[in-house]
Amino acid sequence: MVTLTTVTDSAHRSDPANRSDRGEQTRAAIAAAAQELFLERGYDKTTMRAVADRAGVSIGNAYYYFASKEHLVQAFYDQIQVEHAAAAHDSLERTDKFAERLREVLTTWVDVAEPFHGFAGKFFKVAAEPTSPLSPFSTESRGAREASIDLFRRVVEGSDLKVPAPIRAELPELLWLLQMGVVLFWVHDPSDGQKRTRALVRQVVPLVDKLVRLSRLPGMRGVVGDVVELIRSVRP
Amino acid sequence: MVTLTTVTDSAHRSDPANRSDRGEQTRAAIAAAAQELFLERGYDKTTMRAVADRAGVSIGNAYYYFASKEHLVQAFYDQIQVEHAAAAHDSLERTDKFAERLREVLTTWVDVAEPFHGFAGKFFKVAAEPTSPLSPFSTESRGAREASIDLFRRVVEGSDLKVPAPIRAELPELLWLLQMGVVLFWVHDPSDGQKRTRALVRQVVPLVDKLVRLSRLPGMRGVVGDVVELIRSVRP
DNA sequence: CGCGCTACTTGAACATGTTCAAGATGATCT
DNA sequence: AGATCATCTTGAACATGTTCAAGTAGCGCG
């Protein structure tokens, strides 16, 4: 069983005469109960009643803190993000080779996310709906997204990679998209320990490395400009 | 209101002493009722009871023909596929320029799918779950997927495009993936008439065209080989 | 005709996500 | 202390997807 630390930072101690500490604890208890149950039985077989029971609160109370059952998976989303950033941090200390840094960050994600692969389908399903606050493109998940893009910014900036400035600027976002692609593949990957996703990462990283470096060739400039322009125009 | 023709082919007349014609009709009636209601009120506000009512059957009967509410959206999936193929067929007669052919096929899809954009989110959500038979990667939807890839095969084969054989062979599947990307963007595109998706297509097509043609350059061979290899290994 | 069989049809019953009106708690003010 | 107010907390009630045991319809066979 995986030990789960809740992400709820009890850090905004700035409200005047901070109440709602009781509230935070209840919220955390509910989130923790949900995470346990999701891991034990999966998303579908976890009922809101069971979550409320295990957290020792009423069902209505669960809804006071989480607008819907789907909102309960947000905790995973956040947690994976936080754990990933922490785990990746270490490996990023170890090398300045772009390809290695990228590979580390991507495989680390697969490691961190592994315990959740079982119900990742449901997880993903929720995130896939455009109107969902969990969508990786939504404004609500902007924080997590930015944090993730920052991670890739560090991958680029701490590396030996020499590329034209405009590409360098867009690269973190492009790599984040690559990560989204990896996630997509991962979700659909039924292999043991997500072997195939890991293989994908091992194969795709050198390719990306090669492509990015090729962007310095004179003949590539036009194409690269187009790509950068495309990304720009596509951003909301 | 869009006229909806059901996809149910009453074509397998090969069963001995074919009964189940009554059944086919009921099935079609239910699918039609569902489609009307989905378009009128969207997915969520359409209840199974309402579908059964409009189709003039009992709710249990609706479940006799469709295993779940989600299965009712399969009809859309199929229908868009069929309409797209038909609509694209015409434009493919008109030109042999690769870029134009590709652009036509992609924009035609946006045209065909437009009426469904309203609840495409739900549609997509369903399709996004890996275990769902509606997933574009699932074995169940293999038929539709193959048909779609065939369409891109025709885009390539009827075109003036000159590229190395291995790429030519992989291109249809790659273009299908591109289409999936467009769909992903489209689903998240809140703009009027999906303007932004159309803009994306206009921008991305020349880029793809350029990239594919670049693949003939000697310096590119290695990269292209890698890409082809990647696709191969990733296919289940 | 009556029997049996398969294909179909029914709606009540069930499971579970969600809402809501009513109440409990505790801090702050007078 | 008592009043007031925001913040929780409750569980019954509701909505809706889904199941299922019981029926009905038509068809072929003896």
Side-chain angles (χ1 to χ4, degrees):
Chain A
M1 172 56 122
V2 189
T3 310
L4 294 171
T5 42
T6 13
V7 187
T8 339
D9 60 328
S10 33
H12 38 50
R13 288 288 132 93
S14 37
D15 332 39
N18 169 32
R19 303 85 131 296
S20 81
D21 221 24
R22 180 178 33 138
E24 280 306 314
Q25 264 176 266
T26 317
R27 182 192 181 84
I30 295 166
Q35 298 203 355
E36 284 172 32
L37 287 166
F38 284 159
L39 286 171
E40 282 173 27
R41 333 177 173 171
Y43 182 81
D44 279 341
K45 290 208 199 126
T46 299
T47 70
M48 288 302 279
R49 285 162 181 81
V51 171
D53 271 5
R54 179 160 311 188
V57 301
S58 73
I59 189 174
N61 203 8
Y63 276 94
Y64 180 79
Y65 289 101
F66 295 91
S68 78
K69 184 177 177 183
E70 299 194 342
H71 279 75
L72 284 170
V73 312
Q74 175 110 48
F76 286 96
Y77 199 84
D78 293 348
Q79 186 192 342
I80 292 180
Q81 157 61 30
V82 168
E83 275 187 31
H84 180 214
H89 184 82
D90 298 343
S91 21
L92 286 183
E93 302 286 286
R94 285 202 286 280
T95 176
D96 69 342
K97 292 219 174 70
F98 174 68
E100 283 180 24
R101 292 168 74 81
L102 180 57
R103 178 168 41 73
E104 275 305 313
V105 167
L106 291 179
T107 47
T108 298
W109 187 89
V110 179
D111 292 337
V112 168
E114 180 158 0
F116 311 111
H117 187 267
F119 62 94
K122 291 297 150 61
F123 177 85
F124 182 68
K125 177 180 178 171
V126 166
E129 190 180 1
T131 60
S132 163
L134 288 179
S135 162
F137 305 104
S138 79
T139 40
E140 285 92 335
S141 64
R142 181 177 173 150
R145 183 172 63 247
E146 299 281 324
S148 190
I149 294 177
D150 271 348
L151 189 54
F152 288 106
R153 186 164 295 119
R154 283 188 46 219
V155 167
V156 175
E157 296 197 341
S159 81
D160 59 353
L161 193 66
K162 297 279 184 294
V163 285
I167 307 182
R168 210 186 173 83
E170 299 295 335
L171 209 44
E173 195 158 340
L174 274 173
L175 295 178
W176 176 78
L177 271 175
L178 174 65
Q179 153 106 33
M180 291 299 105
V182 171
V183 172
L184 178 61
F185 188 84
W186 175 82
V187 165
H188 290 262
D189 179 2
S191 67
D192 256 18
Q194 292 77 59
K195 274 204 282 288
R196 303 196 62 222
T197 305
R198 294 172 194 277
L200 171 68
V201 169
R202 276 197 303 277
Q203 262 195 298
V204 89
V205 163
L207 181 56
V208 168
D209 187 53
K210 206 187 273 190
L211 279 172
V212 171
R213 290 174 196 278
L214 273 175
S215 71
R216 301 175 68 191
L217 294 185
M220 288 295 116
R221 286 300 165 86
V223 179
V224 166
D226 290 348
V227 172
V228 169
E229 182 51 38
L230 180 65
I231 305 289
R232 284 247 165 74
S233 79
V234 144
R235 194 165 16 216
Chain B
M1 174 55 123
V2 190
T3 311
L4 297 169
T5 42
T6 13
V7 188
T8 338
D9 62 327
S10 33
H12 38 49
R13 288 288 131 94
S14 35
D15 333 38
N18 165 37
R19 303 83 132 296
S20 80
D21 221 25
R22 182 176 34 136
E24 280 305 314
Q25 264 176 266
T26 315
R27 183 193 182 84
I30 295 166
Q35 298 203 353
E36 285 173 30
L37 287 166
F38 284 159
L39 287 170
E40 281 172 28
R41 331 176 175 171
Y43 183 80
D44 280 341
K45 291 209 198 125
T46 298
T47 70
M48 288 301 279
R49 285 162 180 81
V51 171
D53 271 6
R54 179 158 315 187
V57 302
S58 73
I59 189 173
N61 203 7
Y63 277 93
Y64 181 79
Y65 289 102
F66 295 90
S68 78
K69 185 177 176 183
E70 299 195 341
H71 279 74
L72 284 170
V73 314
Q74 175 111 48
F76 285 97
Y77 199 84
D78 293 346
Q79 186 191 343
I80 291 181
Q81 158 60 32
V82 168
E83 276 187 30
H84 181 214
H89 183 84
D90 296 344
S91 19
L92 285 182
E93 303 286 287
R94 285 201 287 278
T95 175
D96 68 343
K97 293 217 174 72
F98 174 68
E100 283 180 24
R101 291 168 74 83
L102 180 57
R103 177 168 41 74
E104 276 303 313
V105 167
L106 292 178
T107 47
T108 298
W109 187 88
V110 180
D111 292 337
V112 167
E114 179 157 2
F116 311 110
H117 186 268
F119 62 94
K122 292 298 151 62
F123 177 86
F124 183 67
K125 176 180 180 172
V126 166
E129 191 180 2
T131 59
S132 162
L134 288 178
S135 161
F137 305 104
S138 79
T139 38
E140 285 90 337
S141 64
R142 181 176 173 151
R145 182 173 63 249
E146 299 282 322
S148 192
I149 294 177
D150 271 347
L151 190 54
F152 288 106
R153 186 163 294 120
R154 283 188 46 218
V155 166
V156 174
E157 297 199 336
S159 82
D160 59 354
L161 193 66
K162 297 279 184 293
V163 285
I167 308 181
R168 207 184 174 87
E170 299 295 335
L171 210 44
E173 196 157 340
L174 275 173
L175 294 178
W176 177 78
L177 270 175
L178 174 65
Q179 153 105 35
M180 291 298 106
V182 171
V183 172
L184 178 62
F185 188 86
W186 176 82
V187 164
H188 288 263
D189 178 3
S191 68
D192 257 18
Q194 293 79 58
K195 273 205 281 288
R196 301 197 61 223
T197 305
R198 294 173 195 276
L200 171 67
V201 169
R202 276 196 302 278
Q203 263 195 298
V204 90
V205 163
L207 180 56
V208 168
D209 187 53
K210 208 186 275 192
L211 280 172
V212 170
R213 289 174 197 277
L214 274 174
S215 72
R216 303 176 65 191
L217 293 185
M220 288 295 114
R221 285 301 165 87
V223 178
V224 165
D226 291 348
V227 172
V228 169
E229 183 51 40
L230 179 65
I231 304 289
R232 283 250 165 71
S233 80
V234 142
R235 192 165 17 216

